[in-house]
Amino acid sequence: MTRVHMKDLPAENISFTDFKLIGFYSLGEWRPFLFIPFFLMFLLSITANSILIYLIKSQKSLHSPMYVLIGVMAVLDLILPVFFVPNMLLSFLFNWSGISLTVCLIQMFGIHFVGAFQSTLLLWMALDRYFAICKPLYYHKYMEIGNFLKFVFLPLIRNGFLIVIMVSLAGKLSFCRNTIDHCLCEHMALVQLACGDISVNNIVGLLSAFLIPTADFILITVSYVVIFTSVFRSGKAHLKAINTCITHIIVMTLSLTSALIAFLSYRIRNNVSPSNRIFMSIIYILFPSCFNPIIYGWRTKEIRQTFQKFIKNGKVLPFLNK
């Protein structure tokens, strides 16, 4: 039963603390069938990222900074779906839709913080390629853990600060409605249920979007422009390094395109049906987690060869059966 806090009973002082996630309810009897594609995507994400982490961890030749960063990306891709997919799958099967405000805010923080971490990690990958191609003599010096941490702390502090403010402001709102038209606690989906003015929440949300993924994208673009300019001017054969850059760009484009589509779907609500908007929002989170490890595994020669070697030796199959 929905729990409500009341003060002197006026409607404007009612604030719901329990909510219902009603994403895809318009599909009616077809809604349970959504379990199948989303479960398969979740299974693909867990399996592919686990294999990639295992390969990088077990193979000493893959312990260089570039592969360690790819491994960290796989860890994030493994963690992110866990925040919402199991609950969403249970909702599809058993019509479990209830969620408390506290759990909703925790889910929101986890999704947005890990998503911001992924954006920043793409920036670190760009810096790794910049040092490897443009400053090869100083690469190991810059990528030593002590020096590299200098590039890590400020973005992480920025991400944490903005996400904490965004989630905290959402948690302080009073909610007149308790049905979230989504399958997860996305920031705007919850904030739109508030009774009063949400302009501050909108501004903080836009500010977070500009200062995290947009700022990272600008810095990443500058890095790759400098890298490609340096390569073409010098005429050096950096085919391997350039191939890795292209792989990073594919992953970055995939992530940013899906994020942009999901972001715009809330700003052009009249032209996008609720089910399509929810679908795009889920795909923005889940799709990169499924296909990032496949892209890195297929396009990165060393990882691909390591995987093929482990398959021939029968070492990956025992790992999957654990």
Side-chain angles (χ1 to χ4, degrees):
M1 182 178 294
T2 302
R3 187 170 66 257
V4 184
H5 296 308
M6 298 186 181
K7 294 180 181 179
D8 301 325
L9 298 180
E12 63 269 18
N13 288 325
I14 297 176
S15 181
F16 288 97
T17 58
D18 287 325
F19 300 88
K20 291 183 178 180
L21 295 165
I22 61 168
F24 297 118
Y25 266 70
S26 60
L27 298 180
E29 61 184 10
W30 293 101
R31 186 174 184 270
F33 289 98
L34 291 174
F35 175 88
I36 298 172
F38 284 115
F39 173 75
L40 292 176
M41 290 183 71
F42 183 57
L43 188 64
L44 174 61
S45 173
I46 297 296
T47 304
N49 284 295
S50 296
I51 291 174
L52 183 56
I53 294 166
Y54 175 73
L55 292 175
I56 293 173
K57 180 178 180 296
S58 61
Q59 192 72 11
K60 290 185 177 180
S61 62
L62 299 179
H63 288 181
S64 64
M66 182 184 77
Y67 299 113
V68 171
L69 290 173
I70 291 175
V72 174
M73 176 66 82
V75 171
L76 296 177
D77 286 335
L78 187 65
I79 292 172
L80 187 56
V82 174
F83 278 109
F84 73 96
V85 174
N87 185 64
M88 182 178 71
L89 294 177
L90 289 173
S91 174
F92 291 153
L93 279 184
F94 305 110
N95 204 29
W96 295 351
S97 58
I99 189 169
S100 69
L101 177 60
T102 301
V103 174
C104 186
L105 294 174
I106 292 172
Q107 186 185 80
M108 183 192 300
F109 176 82
I111 291 171
H112 286 283
F113 183 75
V114 175
F117 201 141
Q118 288 178 318
S119 169
T120 302
L121 186 60
L122 289 171
L123 174 59
W124 296 342
M125 289 177 169
L127 286 174
D128 171 78
R129 292 300 83 200
Y130 170 77
F131 291 135
I133 297 173
C134 300
K135 307 284 185 181
L137 297 178
Y138 301 97
Y139 175 73
H140 293 290
K141 174 186 174 182
Y142 284 121
M143 296 306 293
E144 285 179 356
I145 188 65
N147 290 328
F148 188 69
L149 285 177
K150 297 176 183 177
F151 301 103
V152 171
F153 283 129
L154 283 179
L156 283 183
I157 291 171
R158 173 203 64 180
N159 295 358
F161 178 73
L162 289 170
I163 300 302
V164 165
I165 289 178
M166 185 177 73
V167 175
S168 298
L169 289 174
K172 291 179 180 180
L173 293 171
S174 295
F175 299 98
C176 298
R177 293 171 291 159
N178 72 331
T179 53
I180 302 174
D181 193 8
H182 213 304
C183 293
L184 54 93
C185 281
E186 201 273 341
H187 176 248
M188 286 304 299
L190 177 65
V191 166
Q192 287 171 352
L193 304 181
C195 305
D197 182 33
I198 59 170
S199 57
V200 173
N201 302 83
N202 279 323
I203 291 170
V204 172
L206 289 170
L207 197 62
S208 298
F210 178 76
L211 293 179
I212 299 178
T214 306
D216 289 346
F217 173 73
I218 292 170
L219 292 173
I220 290 168
T221 302
V222 170
S223 298
Y224 284 125
V225 167
V226 172
I227 289 170
F228 284 110
T229 301
S230 174
V231 170
F232 293 140
R233 282 183 177 177
S234 64
K236 296 177 183 177
H238 282 299
L239 293 180
K240 178 181 175 182
I242 289 297
N243 183 65
T244 306
C245 289
I246 292 172
T247 303
H248 291 332
I249 291 171
I250 292 172
V251 170
M252 179 184 69
T253 303
L254 177 67
S255 300
L256 289 174
T257 301
S258 55
L260 181 63
I261 291 172
F263 181 79
L264 289 177
S265 69
Y266 272 97
R267 270 69 191 176
I268 51 175
R269 294 175 64 89
N270 293 335
N271 298 322
V272 182
S273 70
S275 292
N276 286 337
R277 187 180 68 252
I278 296 166
F279 177 76
M280 288 186 288
S281 185
I282 294 173
I283 290 299
Y284 141 62
I285 301 172
L286 192 55
F287 190 80
S289 293
C290 294
F291 292 97
N292 283 354
I294 296 174
I295 294 170
Y296 281 120
W298 178 255
R299 287 193 53 83
T300 308
K301 182 180 178 182
E302 290 77 5
I303 295 177
R304 185 172 69 248
Q305 290 178 339
T306 301
F307 178 72
Q308 291 170 345
K309 183 177 71 174
F310 274 62
I311 286 289
K312 289 178 181 178
N313 295 336
K315 292 183 179 180
V316 172
L317 293 179
F319 160 73
L320 291 175
N321 291 329
K322 286 183 180 179

